[in-house]
Amino acid sequence: MANKRSFTGGATVLIVGAGPAGLVLGNLLLAAGIDCLIVERADRAHVERRARAGFLAADTVRALVGNGLGTGLSARGRPHDTCVFRSERGEFALRYGGLGRGEAHTVYPQQELVADLVAEFLRRGGDLRFGTPVTEVGGLDDDRPWLVALDADGTPYRLEGRYVAGCDGRHGVCRKAFPAAAVHAHRRRHGVSWLALLVGTPPALPAVTYAVHDRGFAGHMARTASVTRYYLQCEPGTDPGTWSDSAVWEELDVRMRAERFGPLRRGPVLERAVVDLESDVLDPMQYGRLFLAGDAAGLISPSAAKGANLAVMAAETLARAFTAALHQGDEEPLARYSATCLPRIWRAQEFSHWMIGLLHAPPGGDDESRFLRALRDSRLESLRTSPVQQHAFADNYVGI
Ligand code: RFL
């Protein structure tokens, strides 16, 4: 039992995890004069090098810039307002930035955003403990919830606070601390996996490009002037190590139809990982004095690049709610936290799910596979030809 462990400190808000959600929350709390502490399992170098997302929606950028957290992304982020779809019927570009709400993405690698947020949190005098895994969370029904964390020697120590913010991602301990009867997890495995690749070459194409192919989906996404992300749909359970660099480039050439539309820029594959497309949404996102944000509260498939954006938006909502509770004694925004976030999360889930159906269909020769491929092709054709469909796409793709 954790009570036996020594009490060595705490803060008003204990934040578990230094990803986009925890770091945005921590920075906003410090700006509001609220005492908080972030405990992070990994070391600083790991957190600042973990390449994941790259596409920030307009609302995310507004939230970051509006709270003084956008210096790096304003200086180095690049606007992106067009995506391209390729299929056997040809290629079309969709300039979503000129449709719907008329907004663009900002391309800014997640690891650079995380490094900026770490630096800013420390500059503001924040207490951020790297290499400190949390092993237990408790006291959620009491006034003084607590965490047990391990110090550098692996010795457990206890931290107490008034609130705990679980920003520790999908495999963290916070979501597991909810009593099973207090939460419902809506889950879906999409039965689709992607080989996620980072390659050490400049983007070969001027825009995000989605290639629909009967051998499986392939995608091209800019990251920086010298690094590009590619995706290749692969069999679930694939060992990424079985894809050699040459196999990767040959398959990308086929699916991106390089012969027809022009060559890709070949180079070393810097990182390869297999991502199973999965979604889950926890409802509610709070229990007692524990509030979840980001992937801890729900995982979203990367098909529409929404995860980091949802994490930032939830963190901003939670920071406002903590501020109202602690400065004005108004607990109502905290009580409504899940109800405020969940409609946005479900909108993003629905759109991501729709994108999965736009980009994938089973390869088999059976009736059902052929039916699903025809649906996929019709969806793509509708997006190519229908202005109403294009506006709806733009609203969902860049909005959140
Ligand atoms: P994170 O970033 O996973 O951070 C959680 C942090 O918690 C720490 N942690 C613990 N710390 C202490 N004690 C414990 N017991 C702990 N357990 C875990 C972890 O070390 C970590 O530092 O969650 P957060 O902050 O919620 O942010 C979520 C985003 O990182 C995620 O949704 C996105 O990366 C998803 N995603 C994308 N999102 C976008 O918006 N746009 C994109 O273009 C995009 N591309 C992607 C993606 C995710 C990908 N993968 C790897 C699934 C591309 C890929 C390949």
Side-chain angles (χ1 to χ4, degrees):
M1 182 62 196
N3 292 353
K4 294 197 184 119
R5 289 164 185 138
S6 57
F7 167 72
T8 50
T12 306
V13 181
L14 303 173
I15 301 172
V16 187
L23 288 164
V24 168
L25 176 61
N27 272 295
L28 299 195
L29 292 180
L30 288 186
I34 294 169
D35 158 51
C36 64
L37 183 161
I38 305 180
V39 267
E40 164 59 49
R41 180 180 57 189
D43 64 36
R44 182 171 179 175
H46 178 81
V47 165
E48 293 185 347
R49 274 194 220 125
R50 200 166 40 195
R52 285 179 165 180
F55 273 69
L56 299 178
D59 283 341
T60 310
V61 171
R62 261 195 295 276
L64 293 166
V65 172
N67 287 295
L69 302 173
T71 313
L73 77 87
S74 299
R76 297 189 298 281
R78 280 157 301 117
H80 185 281
D81 67 357
T82 302
C83 58
V84 170
F85 294 89
R86 289 181 178 175
S87 73
E88 67 177 2
R89 293 188 209 178
E91 182 185 76
F92 68 93
L94 188 54
R95 206 175 76 74
Y96 58 86
L99 302 170
R101 298 195 299 173
E103 292 177 324
H105 282 107
T106 298
V107 183
Y108 191 57
Q110 180 170 324
Q111 68 275 23
E112 292 190 30
L113 176 65
V114 163
D116 296 347
L117 293 170
V118 167
E120 185 59 20
F121 186 77
L122 297 174
R123 197 191 65 76
R124 292 178 185 188
D127 182 352
L128 171 41
R129 303 182 189 179
F130 289 106
T132 306
V134 169
T135 55
E136 261 184 278
V137 183
L140 304 177
D141 295 314
D142 306 334
D143 285 351
R144 299 294 295 170
W146 47 261
L147 310 173
V148 174
L150 303 180
D151 69 13
D153 304 328
T155 308
Y157 67 103
R158 184 178 150 114
L159 294 164
E160 280 185 10
R162 222 168 127 182
Y163 299 105
V164 176
C167 304
D168 51 346
R170 130 167 236 233
H171 298 293
V173 293
C174 290
R175 62 156 56 192
K176 295 181 190 129
F178 277 38
V183 64
H184 185 76
H186 304 267
R187 287 210 169 89
R188 181 163 170 86
R189 283 170 190 257
H190 301 283
V192 171
S193 296
W194 285 358
L195 184 65
L197 305 151
L198 274 182
V199 306
T201 51
L205 307 165
V208 162
T209 302
Y210 300 102
V212 168
H213 198 285
D214 285 348
R215 289 172 69 93
F217 161 72
H220 161 285
M221 277 135 224
R223 282 296 184 259
T224 66
S226 56
V227 173
T228 307
R229 190 176 273 296
Y230 285 93
Y231 292 113
L232 272 176
Q233 187 183 352
C234 62
E235 279 298 311
T238 297
D239 169 2
T242 58
W243 280 84
S244 65
D245 284 24
S246 58
V248 161
W249 286 113
E250 276 162 33
E251 196 61 25
L252 281 170
D253 275 352
V254 172
R255 296 193 199 175
M256 304 284 305
R257 298 179 169 82
E259 244 179 50
R260 189 164 161 197
F261 297 111
L264 301 172
R265 288 197 177 121
R266 291 192 176 206
V269 177
L270 309 174
E271 257 184 56
R272 38 164 78 67
V274 169
V275 180
D276 297 320
L277 273 54
E278 289 179 56
S279 307
D280 68 8
V281 177
L282 264 58
D283 184 0
M285 298 159 64
Q286 62 203 86
Y287 176 77
R289 295 202 165 228
L290 171 61
F291 297 81
L292 303 181
D295 282 10
L299 187 72
I300 187 160
S301 81
S303 51
K306 297 288 188 200
N309 293 287
L310 288 174
V312 171
M313 302 308 285
E316 191 191 34
T317 304
L318 189 53
R320 282 211 197 105
F322 280 140
T323 306
L326 291 162
H327 285 343
Q328 286 102 45
D330 178 7
E331 298 259 344
E332 186 58 25
L334 272 183
R336 281 201 324 266
Y337 171 62
S338 294
T340 305
C341 292
L342 282 167
R344 182 168 58 213
I345 291 174
W346 278 115
R347 182 88 294 280
Q349 289 283 2
E350 190 282 326
F351 182 67
S352 293
H353 193 248
W354 180 86
M355 284 283 288
I356 292 173
L358 181 74
L359 302 175
H360 307 85
D366 56 293
D367 283 350
E368 183 170 317
S369 299
R370 282 208 294 260
F371 184 84
L372 291 171
R373 282 206 295 279
L375 288 188
R376 178 200 63 190
D377 294 347
S378 170
R379 219 171 261 142
L380 196 58
E381 188 58 8
S382 166
L383 189 59
R384 187 180 74 80
T385 55
S386 159
V388 173
Q389 186 72 264
Q390 291 168 358
H391 277 273
F393 176 87
D395 259 357
N396 284 286
Y397 190 57
V398 76
I400 189 151

